[in-house]
Amino acid sequence: MANIQQVAKQAGVSVATVSRVLNGQNIVSSKTRVKVEDAIKKLNYEPSMLGRNLRNSESRLLLILIPTISNPFYLEIIQGIETFAISQNYNILLCETDSDPMKENIYFDLVRKKMADGIISMDPAVNVETLKTLAEKYAIIQCSEYEENSGIPYVTIDNEEASYRAVKHLIQIGHKKIALMNSDEKYLYARQRIKGYKRALEENGIIINNEYIIHTEHVGFENGQQAMKKILKIQDRPTAVFAVSDLLAIGALKEINTNGLHVPNDIAIVGFDKIDFSNMTNPTLTTVAQPMYKMGTVAAKMLIDKIRGEHVESIILDHELLIRESTSG
Amino acid sequence: MANIQQVAKQAGVSVATVSRVLNGQNIVSSKTRVKVEDAIKKLNYEPSMLGRNLRNSESRLLLILIPTISNPFYLEIIQGIETFAISQNYNILLCETDSDPMKENIYFDLVRKKMADGIISMDPAVNVETLKTLAEKYAIIQCSEYEENSGIPYVTIDNEEASYRAVKHLIQIGHKKIALMNSDEKYLYARQRIKGYKRALEENGIIINNEYIIHTEHVGFENGQQAMKKILKIQDRPTAVFAVSDLLAIGALKEINTNGLHVPNDIAIVGFDKIDFSNMTNPTLTTVAQPMYKMGTVAAKMLIDKIRGEHVESIILDHELLIRESTSG
DNA sequence: CTGAAAGCGCTAACAA
DNA sequence: TTGTTAGCGCTTTCAG
């Protein structure tokens, strides 16, 4: 395993010159450059990131914090992050926190120990105080979920507006009894989405029925099933359900089918996220499409800018309501 | 940002002693140890992995190669890998190759450049020659998909047997006209699975009908839909489908439903992998369960052993046929 | 039990 | 245009 010294010796130049060739600096004469390149080829030399990283005090690694990899919502965002990161010669360290402060802390240690140059946090359950403290010394961006007034830049969508439009769509196709499957309101997005839900109802003169509002601990498939069980037991049964995640919606769909009811004839459903599977169900799911890939690239760009010491502004991206079979017979 | 020097000065000891404390070596007197620990606390010192890694010529990073993150099959494996890796103070670098040799090469460069200490390859489309060459110098393990006689250790299941059992199950519940949705036979697992399929049919005196064997380019949802379209057009229509991935099976299910047919009454379906979604469809999917999490932990253990210079043997793990609604009305 | 010093592989300031 | 050299932060050998 050759190192830069050996290449220098082989080429009959100094290590500085080799380094210059390696880093594409144009101040090297083409004759010397060729000598060096030959030596590199001959010795099968590969520069060590270890040495370079220490010297440059950087790891060129980006820490991505997600609650769990099994929520497909994050997949496309991650692809966006990765693509941009690679283009800038960064790589990503994908970290599942399981919303567990202990695991979270293990990962935070990676940036404290210089193993990562910055963090993109997508974990709604992240310890905000720790994050804020960390943000004083390290580059941090929040993606999708964020903390207001934390001073940490974020990229997200207008959750209230998205929710408002989803519910309005249900109203427009004739629904008045609309249930909301929301996650815990300790999460900002949950508070924003219920706000949009209520605004849509109120604007259309529909009285809010608290029985129709279900909170779930997580936003997974089983939670959707459980929540739907409750909804189906309601005396004056809703004719539509707006779920704040596709996984919840798919759980609801399954439960409705199991009970011999039909979507959308008996109950219409709107989900949120446009995960791949929202198109594989029967019927396909009407859902709020977040520009996930874009969100990923934007987050990555923000983080890398921040690492470079530039000033970074938060960004709100557009969303879109995708009407599919679960709301249109 | 304090470094080890400053800690040493603050504690009134040498950097060597600080290093010893950091690495939990017991040859330090408890009095000195306390002094050092106090200094560390006082200066808020965090040892830099960059320095340590260079010194130790290791990155403590494991490269995980997958074709795409959007195939849920890999998720649980990755969780297994990660859990074991973390327990050994390693972290993982998750890399999507998109089965693209160019991208693949970017990632291979990471190990060549010492940015990763080893590779777990799960990409069936990996360039085997490159992998073999790499394996001469670096620690490499193949997971799930592997190349025979490559000399590179692998962990996998007995694909032929798994396939055989799946098809036998269909035969036992009365099916004779069983279609196979297989992926391209350039992949070893595809060759193994068709072998199991044929063996099951032959053993039961069922003549193999080549019209019933469909090959798909990828093993995703859309491929399943397309393949099912073809199958539905066959004159003497099969009454059962064995798909080599759950995603294919879910695509088939969707297509069958779209055509007003019923699963399993009209057509039974068996999938492969037991991805999370196989339990969310309606009906739920009978599938071959691979011990994915286990496979991940085993692969990680094998890789880390290999990095440590130990000898590593290939391992075949058990699988299980999980009978659910799609084969039992 | 502790310290001095070398060195992992690289980059960049400075000198020539 | 090129070379010399210091040093990034750490671990470890060797001496004491």
Side-chain angles (χ1 to χ4, degrees):
Chain A
M1 231 67 98
N3 62 21
I4 199 171
Q5 313 261 12
Q6 295 166 309
V7 174
K9 184 188 279 181
Q10 170 75 33
V13 299
S14 74
V15 290
T17 301
V18 178
S19 176
R20 289 184 188 112
V21 172
L22 251 27
N23 294 289
Q25 296 185 25
N26 288 324
I27 51 170
V28 182
S29 77
S30 49
K31 211 168 51 178
T32 315
R33 176 185 308 279
V34 169
K35 274 197 297 182
V36 172
E37 281 163 353
D38 286 350
I40 288 175
K41 216 161 277 170
K42 182 161 181 189
L43 296 178
N44 234 313
Y45 167 71
E46 297 276 354
S48 159
M49 298 297 292
L50 260 25
R52 171 179 296 181
N53 288 348
L54 172 60
R55 173 62 221 225
N56 295 343
S57 308
E58 61 174 12
S59 64
R60 298 210 80 86
L61 253 26
L62 269 21
L63 199 63
I64 314 300
L65 285 188
I66 55 173
T68 167
I69 195 176
S70 48
N71 184 340
F73 168 62
Y74 298 105
L75 263 35
E76 228 178 299
I77 301 185
I78 293 167
Q79 288 178 324
I81 295 175
E82 197 184 21
T83 304
F84 191 84
I86 297 268
S87 78
Q88 305 294 306
N89 275 304
Y90 278 87
N91 279 282
I92 66 174
L93 231 34
L94 191 60
C95 300
E96 272 189 289
T97 62
D98 294 331
S99 298
D100 170 358
M102 299 277 281
K103 281 195 86 175
E104 203 173 85
N105 215 42
I106 294 180
Y107 294 125
F108 283 154
D109 264 352
L110 291 178
V111 28
R112 295 193 190 102
K113 294 188 174 166
K114 305 262 194 309
M115 194 62 186
D117 295 340
I119 302 177
I120 294 176
S121 168
M122 299 198 264
D123 186 0
V126 73
N127 182 325
V128 183
E129 284 315 309
T130 317
L131 203 66
K132 275 203 268 191
T133 313
L134 235 42
E136 290 165 16
K137 295 174 71 178
Y138 308 101
I140 301 187
I141 301 293
Q142 299 175 100
C143 181
S144 175
E145 178 70 2
Y146 64 102
E147 178 75 12
E148 297 165 296
N149 312 320
S150 65
I152 306 174
Y154 53 80
V155 50
T156 187
I157 58 160
D158 186 337
N159 279 294
E160 187 193 328
E161 186 64 21
S163 173
Y164 170 81
R165 287 192 200 158
V167 176
K168 195 167 167 196
H169 163 61
L170 287 170
I171 295 171
Q172 280 171 338
I173 60 174
H175 294 279
K176 288 193 178 346
K177 296 186 280 183
I178 302 171
L180 171 68
M181 243 179 234
N182 201 6
S183 68
D184 197 309
E185 284 185 40
K186 70 184 170 197
Y187 303 132
L188 177 62
Y189 78 92
R191 297 195 296 275
Q192 293 170 328
R193 291 185 192 172
I194 195 173
K195 216 165 148 189
Y197 165 82
K198 288 184 173 172
R199 180 155 65 88
L201 295 185
E202 280 163 359
E203 273 188 16
N204 289 275
I206 300 172
I207 291 156
I208 291 157
N209 180 347
N210 280 321
E211 219 187 349
Y212 288 176
I213 301 176
I214 310 275
H215 289 93
T216 63
E217 198 185 338
H218 299 291
V219 291
F221 174 76
E222 288 83 4
N223 307 283
Q225 284 185 301
Q226 295 307 321
M228 198 64 218
K229 277 205 174 82
K230 285 187 202 158
I231 291 174
L232 289 174
K233 279 189 198 130
I234 297 172
Q235 277 290 324
D236 190 15
R237 203 175 67 201
T239 60
V241 173
F242 170 46
V244 299
S245 89
D246 284 342
L247 249 24
L248 279 178
I250 292 170
L253 172 62
K254 174 89 183 161
E255 191 61 28
I256 293 172
N257 284 334
T258 303
N259 281 269
L261 295 173
H262 185 268
V263 175
N265 293 354
D266 296 311
I267 300 179
I269 301 183
V270 176
F272 209 111
D273 290 344
K274 195 194 169 200
I275 63 175
D276 280 352
F277 269 94
S278 65
N279 200 30
M280 304 185 194
T281 52
N282 188 30
T284 54
L285 211 57
T286 293
T287 188
V288 177
Q290 301 199 43
M292 300 191 277
Y293 187 88
K294 179 83 183 292
M295 206 182 272
T297 55
V298 167
K301 177 169 181 1
M302 287 168 73
L303 181 58
I304 293 174
D305 283 349
K306 186 115 189 144
I307 290 170
R308 290 184 182 138
E310 293 166 27
H311 177 71
V312 172
E313 290 285 347
S314 296
I315 296 178
I316 311 266
L317 296 175
D318 287 334
H319 60 267
E320 200 183 330
L321 181 66
L322 199 65
I323 295 165
R324 293 196 288 213
E325 295 165 359
S326 70
T327 61
S328 60
Chain B
M1 230 68 98
N3 63 18
I4 199 170
Q5 312 260 16
Q6 295 166 310
V7 175
K9 184 186 278 182
Q10 170 74 33
V13 300
S14 72
V15 292
T17 300
V18 177
S19 176
R20 289 182 187 113
V21 172
L22 251 27
N23 294 290
Q25 296 186 24
N26 288 323
I27 51 170
V28 182
S29 79
S30 49
K31 213 168 48 177
T32 316
R33 177 186 306 279
V34 170
K35 275 197 295 182
V36 172
E37 281 164 352
D38 286 350
I40 289 175
K41 217 162 277 170
K42 182 161 180 190
L43 297 178
N44 235 314
Y45 168 71
E46 296 277 355
S48 158
M49 298 296 292
L50 296 174
R52 171 178 296 180
N53 287 349
L54 173 60
R55 174 59 222 226
N56 295 342
S57 310
E58 61 174 12
S59 64
R60 298 209 80 85
L61 252 26
L62 269 23
L63 198 63
I64 314 300
L65 284 188
I66 55 173
T68 167
I69 196 177
S70 48
N71 185 341
F73 168 63
Y74 298 104
L75 262 34
E76 229 178 296
I77 301 184
I78 293 167
Q79 288 179 324
I81 295 175
E82 196 183 22
T83 305
F84 191 85
I86 296 268
S87 78
Q88 304 294 307
N89 275 304
Y90 279 86
N91 280 284
I92 67 173
L93 230 34
L94 191 60
C95 300
E96 273 189 288
T97 62
D98 295 331
S99 298
D100 170 358
M102 298 278 280
K103 282 195 85 172
E104 203 174 86
N105 214 42
I106 293 180
Y107 294 125
F108 283 154
D109 263 351
L110 291 178
V111 28
R112 295 194 190 103
K113 294 189 174 166
K114 304 259 194 310
M115 194 63 186
D117 295 341
I119 301 177
I120 295 177
S121 168
M122 300 198 263
D123 186 0
V126 74
N127 182 324
V128 183
E129 284 315 309
T130 317
L131 204 66
K132 276 205 267 192
T133 313
L134 234 42
E136 290 165 15
K137 296 175 71 178
Y138 307 100
I140 301 187
I141 301 293
Q142 299 176 102
C143 180
S144 175
E145 178 69 4
Y146 63 102
E147 178 75 12
E148 297 165 297
N149 312 320
S150 65
I152 305 174
Y154 53 80
V155 51
T156 187
I157 59 161
D158 186 336
N159 279 294
E160 186 193 328
E161 185 65 21
S163 173
Y164 169 82
R165 288 192 199 157
V167 176
K168 196 168 167 195
H169 163 62
L170 287 170
I171 295 171
Q172 280 171 337
I173 59 174
H175 294 280
K176 287 194 178 348
K177 296 186 280 185
I178 302 171
L180 171 68
M181 241 179 236
N182 200 6
S183 68
D184 197 307
E185 284 185 40
K186 69 185 170 196
Y187 303 133
L188 177 62
Y189 78 91
R191 297 195 296 275
Q192 294 170 327
R193 290 185 191 173
I194 196 172
K195 216 165 148 188
Y197 165 83
K198 289 184 174 173
R199 180 156 64 89
L201 295 185
E202 279 162 0
E203 271 189 17
N204 289 275
I206 299 172
I207 291 157
I208 290 157
N209 179 347
N210 280 322
E211 219 186 351
Y212 288 176
I213 300 176
I214 310 274
H215 289 93
T216 63
E217 196 183 340
H218 299 290
V219 291
F221 174 76
E222 289 82 5
N223 307 284
Q225 284 185 301
Q226 295 307 320
M228 198 64 219
K229 278 205 174 85
K230 285 187 204 159
I231 291 175
L232 289 174
K233 279 190 198 130
I234 296 172
Q235 278 288 324
D236 190 15
R237 203 176 65 201
T239 61
V241 174
F242 170 47
V244 298
S245 90
D246 283 343
L247 249 23
L248 280 177
I250 292 170
L253 172 60
K254 173 86 183 165
E255 191 61 29
I256 293 171
N257 284 334
T258 303
N259 281 269
L261 295 172
H262 186 267
V263 175
N265 293 354
D266 296 310
I267 300 179
I269 301 183
V270 176
F272 209 111
D273 290 343
K274 197 194 168 200
I275 62 173
D276 279 353
F277 269 94
S278 65
N279 201 30
M280 305 186 191
T281 51
N282 189 27
T284 54
L285 212 57
T286 293
T287 188
V288 177
Q290 302 198 44
M292 300 192 277
Y293 188 87
K294 180 84 182 291
M295 205 181 272
T297 56
V298 167
K301 181 171 178 1
M302 288 167 72
L303 181 58
I304 293 173
D305 283 350
K306 186 116 189 142
I307 290 170
R308 290 186 181 133
E310 294 166 25
H311 177 72
V312 171
E313 289 285 348
S314 296
I315 296 178
I316 309 265
L317 295 176
D318 286 335
H319 59 267
E320 200 183 331
L321 182 67
L322 198 65
I323 295 166
R324 293 197 289 212
E325 295 164 0
S326 70
T327 61
S328 61

